Amino acid sequence: MQTRLEDRQQISDLITGWMHRDLGEWEQLRDLFHPDGTIEITWFEGLGSDFVDGSMRMGASDLRTKHLIGTPVVTFNGDKAIVETNAMIVGENVKLDLGCSVHNRFYDLVEKRNGVWKLLRRQSVYDMGTFTFPQGPVEIDKATVAKYPREYVALAYVLEKSGFPLSRVLATRGSDLEKTMKAEGAGWLAA
């Protein structure tokens, strides 16, 4: 029982360690992933280490983001676990005077290797979002908005206008992509 409590605490620290991204603490962010760990979110799909490099580029741009991370729900099977965590992404492009607030859920496959839990695969399900206007209303390009699902259109728009375009459609609440993601995760956990 004590070991499982320690595992839960280590996983909770791993998930809330996403704060390193917002703080520009790149090596600590890199350390959240196993070397073969991957991530699939709005603007990036690939290895965690490459994501950190991309995040460094984003951190040097006019785009600012902050992630508010909830308490993770963990399902264990030995040294593997599925972790689902409510989060909120707040973004703003200071030159565009345009921002967004998006609610998502991180869906993580984590593994304990050599006594340490790290991310093996991070994905996201997007639940809902809105535009924010820090300096008052600005014009929104309706053609760009029409390209994305409502659940993450505000985030996708701000990312695209900031030079970080999306390459494909992502999972939204109740979508077939979310169902597939969870089915694959359950298969991985049971194996």
Side-chain angles (χ1 to χ4, degrees), residues 141-153:
D141 175 21
K142 296 202 185 297
T144 302
V145 166
K147 297 188 318 188
Y148 301 109
R150 177 183 187 92
E151 292 84 352
Y152 61 87
V153 68

Side-chain angles (χ1 to χ4, degrees), residues 2-182:
Q2 183 66 26
T3 299
R4 218 24 119 198
L5 289 174
E6 291 168 1
D7 287 339
R8 282 189 185 279
Q9 183 60 55
Q10 194 177 115
I11 290 171
S12 181
D13 291 347
L14 172 69
I15 300 305
T16 58
W18 206 246
M19 182 178 193
H20 296 302
R21 185 179 187 282
D22 298 335
L23 296 173
E25 297 172 346
W26 307 121
E27 291 314 306
Q28 292 95 321
L29 179 62
R30 198 178 307 276
D31 196 46
L32 299 179
F33 291 90
H34 285 297
D36 58 338
T38 61
I39 181 168
E40 181 182 319
I41 56 168
T42 48
W43 63 276
F44 185 87
E45 185 174 351
L47 285 173
S49 58
D50 294 334
F51 166 75
V52 175
D53 295 340
S55 295
M56 292 169 72
R57 287 189 297 280
M58 184 179 281
S61 74
D62 295 319
L63 181 63
R64 304 288 178 261
T65 59
K66 184 167 185 73
H67 298 77
L68 305 174
I69 307 293
T71 303
V73 174
V74 184
T75 305
F76 289 99
N77 183 9
D79 286 343
K80 298 192 299 187
I82 294 174
V83 184
E84 194 163 4
T85 312
N86 279 320
M88 191 166 117
I89 306 161
V90 179
E92 176 184 37
N93 183 305
V94 294
K95 280 196 176 170
L96 299 176
D97 284 328
L98 180 63
C100 62
S101 176
V102 178
H103 295 265
N104 74 307
R105 285 169 287 132
F106 285 120
Y107 187 79
D108 297 317
L109 307 183
V110 300
E111 254 182 4
K112 187 177 188 179
R113 297 180 188 168
N114 301 315
V116 179
W117 289 95
K118 291 190 180 190
L119 294 166
L120 179 63
R121 185 169 190 194
R122 167 158 276 194
Q123 296 173 284
S124 186
V125 178
Y126 298 89
D127 293 327
M128 66 183 85
T130 59
F131 286 101
T132 59
F133 303 95
Q135 304 285 329
V138 297
E139 187 76 25
I140 301 294
D141 175 21
K142 296 202 185 297
T144 302
V145 166
K147 297 188 318 188
Y148 301 109
R150 177 183 187 92
E151 292 84 352
Y152 61 87
V153 68
L155 177 60
Y157 186 92
V158 172
L159 285 165
E160 182 172 319
K161 295 298 180 182
S162 300
F164 299 92
L166 281 63
S167 60
R168 66 181 194 80
V169 174
L170 296 144
T172 56
R173 176 185 289 186
S175 69
D176 287 341
L177 287 172
E178 179 185 14
K179 292 173 187 162
T180 299
M181 176 190 304
K182 289 188 170 188

